[in-house]
Amino acid sequence: MKPRNVIATLLAGVAVVVCSAAGAAHAADLRASLSSREAYVGAPITLQLEVADASSHDEPTIPDVAGLDIQSSGVPSRSTQTTIINGRRSDRTSVVYAWQITPRRAGTFEIPSIQVNVDGQTRSTQPIRIVATKSETGDLLFVDITGQQQDIYVGQPLNLTLNLWIKPYHDAEYDVTLSEENMWQMISDSTNWGAFSERMTQLAENRQRPGGEEVLRKDADGDERAYYHYQIDATIYPKRPGQIDADDLQVVLEYPTRLAKSRDPFGSMFDDDFFGGRSPFGDMGMSPFRRNTLSIADVRPVVAEATVAPINVKPIPTVGRPADYRGTVGQYQILTQALPTSVKAGDPITLHIGIRGDGPMELVQAPPLAALPQLTADFKVANEPLAGIVEGDVKLFTTTIRPRREGITEIPAIPLSYFDPTTEKFVTVSSDPIAIHVDPAERLAMDAIVGNATGNGSSEDQAAAVPAFNLTNYDGDDALMNASATSRWPWIILVALLPPLAVSLAWSLNRRRNLWTSFSGDRQESLRVARQSIDAASSPSGVAAALRDFVAANPGSQDQRVQLDALLDHCDHAAFSGVQDHELPALKSHAARLLEEWSTMPASSDSGRAVAHLGWRRSLAVACLAVAAAAIAFPAVRHFATSTGTKTANVDVRAEATATAEPMLTAQQRETLLAEANRAYQDAVQASAGDAAAANEEFAKAATKYGQLVDDGIRNSQLYVNLANAQLQLGSTGKAIANYDRALALDATNWQARQNLAAAQAALSPSEHGAEAATSLSGLLTRVGDAFQSVLSPVAVMTLAAVAWVSVWMIVLGSFYFPSRHWRLALVPTACLLLAAVAASNLEWFADAEAPQAIVAAPTAVLRQAPGEQFPAVASTELSEGEAIEILKVDGDWLQVHTANGSTGWVAHPDVEIL
């Protein structure tokens, strides 16, 4: 082998070894370690888990181990180490997780293997065993719990006192005895305070601690010794019967064993002592700038469990327990308040319930309102638990109830049952009844208006009557399809233009082929009839009459007219001169020659006569066709002109005031929502006869679901009518009027929307609407439309108009091919039928006034001088629910509007429905 090849091979081998070493150096590593494998009960040790040289890894978790408290030490630490050896650089990155592990009892414990996903692979640590021993307290620490009562009931407040006795530490070398404050600071953070945890948290938040005093107490040998005594009071509420225990209370004291001088003369100044800032020598008069500052050098953990004086917790008796009892123990009062107190049947009443007592108010439950027959008989009550708010010794609950019918005069007393431990008996207290006034439901008031409109009133009342409500909802799937206001016009235009175009084409082809033949044949027939009349004439007068008839039908040239006038004068002279027999043959011969000359003239001069003759014969037909075409064209032109105008006018204002959300529901969700809304509406209609509260609840549910479909982007007339009907039943007349207007904007032939709109407007202002309906063109046309609607549906009327339109043009086409007076007789009634059908199908366009921009939806809307509740109202104007207004400007949640009486002001956006 050549030396060059040998060197290359060696270099390649070295490179492979170096790369392998580098790869091994950068392999991910997982290690677990303990600060100590031996621990005292109550003294925490630290477990660390290091994840090294990993590009990614999952956060590790440690399973629970019985007898050990395992708490995370917080955010893991991250570090990077760089090492350079013989010019080679290696980097090591690590993430260290830490946990504090505190044994709660003596024994041997095993921390199981910890598994972590590192760089896509599962790595595990080895199980770790630790041994926990109990540090003997000896006479250093005593803990006990005493109570003021020896026998209590479950839920009854129990006052407990935690007593701690800590023996003061005395250092003989420095002749220093730690103070009671110093010794309290030696209590470890790993102490479990059990039932006293809440009290200790309160003291810590207020930067307080229990005060201690030096007392004498017997130690374990019975000798009296000096101790620091600390007391902590707490109130608990036992939840189960039996003996009170303190198994969850464990006090851990880090008892000092040696003092030493501080290594840093400024350590005390910066609180950098052995216990992380808890220097026990702050009050010893030792300056932090002196080198003889002392600190605690060694400690040992001392763990004590509390002894508890016998306290028996008895269960609540079952004998005589009321049905509405909910575990309340103590002495209580109940108060109620209702707002408003004057409502309509089915309207909500807010009921406030206040309970005051000496027990644990956070545990007090509201009375079971849905289980009180005296309340549910007259009111609809939600069957769900109530959440309360505690304010001192009072707990407040709020709910909503709805009167089921009119005539209810009071909310009955609400009972509250509790167990009184002093008398050991159940007690039931009640609130005072609340007087209320319930009027008939809003929809019943509307039914009364309808009854007056159709009743046996005077003729003037009947003239001003409004149409009755038609509150039947549409339940077809078409309510989920978007509809355009111009969707039917392409078909109408096609039906309107196709017949006249077809007839014009057929007539043009026929006229081009037979025009000359038709005109020529007519003149030959006239010549033949004229010759026969001349040959049969018995006098010059007969010859003159035949010539005049021919000329009337076939006017000739100027020269022919001169010759004819001369011959006619000759005939008249012969008739009056008495030489009729002598001149008659010559006159006939002259007339025959004149006719022969007439027959040799070209027929082009007859075209003007033919066209004039044709127009005269069809004058009536043309007039009928013109009127019919106007009937078709007028509504089309008016529709497109008004729709274009309304879309372009104020478009910026409306776009700023309204926003359409993107569809969020699937087709299946829409179908489900519509079915639920329709079902809720039908349930409400069935319940409205006897339970106004249940009916209102179902109507509200239906209105909400219909509104969700509208908010999801569905726009059609049927859905808007369904929503408006539900709102009308709820008494939201202004919102219902707005949605009826939206329905008519999409489909002006929806007579149910028009009928309910008129009735709703009459419900808000009966006198004004009645006068307008009796005198205005809109009211007249609305009643005419109702009459047509009762006989024929809009689809049938439009079909009839289309059939009549096609029939008119078929009659015209037939008259071209087969001239006869019968065609004209058929054309007149057909054209009249067409006019009637078109007028009936377009009455809505005449009945509609200018479409409003917005409707006042709230009965309490106020027109203000500027955008804001703090500005005064416009004194000269009061907004009425259902009133049409014009939007001028948008400013946040406020709209500048212009009213019908000419006033301008600002109104809150929620009080207005923008169309």
Side-chain angles (χ1 to χ4, degrees), residues 80 125 133 158 184 201 204-205 320 326 354 521 547 657 756 910:
T80 301
T125 64
T133 57
L158 172 62
W184 176 261
T201 301
E205 290 176 350
R326 291 296 180 269
L547 290 174
N756 288 351

Side-chain angles (χ1 to χ4, degrees), residues 73-286:
S73 297
V75 179
S77 61
R78 302 177 184 271
S79 63
T80 301
Q81 180 181 3
T82 301
T83 304
I84 300 177
I85 302 176
N86 296 329
R88 295 180 180 176
R89 172 176 172 168
S90 63
D91 296 328
R92 176 183 175 84
T93 60
S94 63
V95 180
V96 179
Y97 296 86
W99 293 267
Q100 294 294 315
I101 299 179
T102 305
R104 290 302 177 187
R105 57 180 174 82
T108 301
F109 304 92
E110 182 177 282
I111 300 175
S113 173
I114 304 173
Q115 296 184 347
V116 183
N117 189 335
V118 180
D119 292 339
Q121 297 181 353
T122 300
R123 295 181 176 271
S124 303
T125 64
Q126 295 295 326
I128 302 175
R129 300 180 65 188
I130 62 173
V131 177
T133 57
K134 188 175 182 180
S135 175
E136 296 297 332
T137 61
D139 59 354
L140 301 179
L141 175 65
F142 297 95
V143 181
D144 70 19
I145 297 176
T146 59
Q148 295 181 0
Q149 307 101 312
Q150 293 183 349
D151 291 300
I152 62 171
Y153 285 93
V154 172
Q156 183 179 355
L158 172 62
N159 297 320
L160 297 178
T161 300
L162 174 64
N163 297 281
L164 279 76
W165 289 272
I166 301 176
K167 185 176 182 179
Y169 172 73
H170 178 77
D171 187 275
E173 179 181 357
Y174 296 102
D175 193 21
V176 173
T177 301
L178 301 187
S179 67
E180 59 89 13
E181 179 183 359
N182 301 146
M183 295 306 298
W184 176 261
Q185 291 177 350
M186 305 310 297
I187 295 179
S188 172
D189 292 337
S190 60
T191 296
N192 190 346
W193 295 103
F196 298 86
S197 297
E198 183 177 355
R199 176 58 180 163
M200 296 304 297
T201 301
Q202 292 176 353
L203 291 175
E205 290 176 350
N206 296 327
R207 297 182 177 273
Q208 297 176 343
R209 66 173 181 84
E213 61 177 347
E214 188 173 2
V215 298
L216 295 177
R217 173 191 165 90
K218 292 182 180 180
D219 59 12
D221 298 330
D223 299 328
E224 286 191 340
R225 302 286 185 181
Y227 286 89
Y228 292 137
H229 181 213
Y230 306 88
Q231 285 188 329
I232 304 169
D233 295 326
T235 301
I236 66 171
Y237 302 91
K239 298 180 180 180
R240 61 181 183 275
Q243 291 292 324
I244 294 292
D245 57 45
D247 294 340
D248 57 346
L249 191 147
Q250 190 177 64
V251 179
V252 180
L253 178 68
E254 295 174 345
Y255 198 84
T257 58
R258 184 172 66 89
L259 298 182
K261 291 183 178 180
S262 174
R263 291 171 297 174
D264 184 357
F266 301 100
S268 297
M269 176 181 179
F270 299 103
D271 291 333
D272 185 17
D273 57 43
F274 183 84
F275 290 95
R278 297 185 307 169
S279 175
F281 308 105
D283 58 350
M284 290 187 178
M286 299 183 182

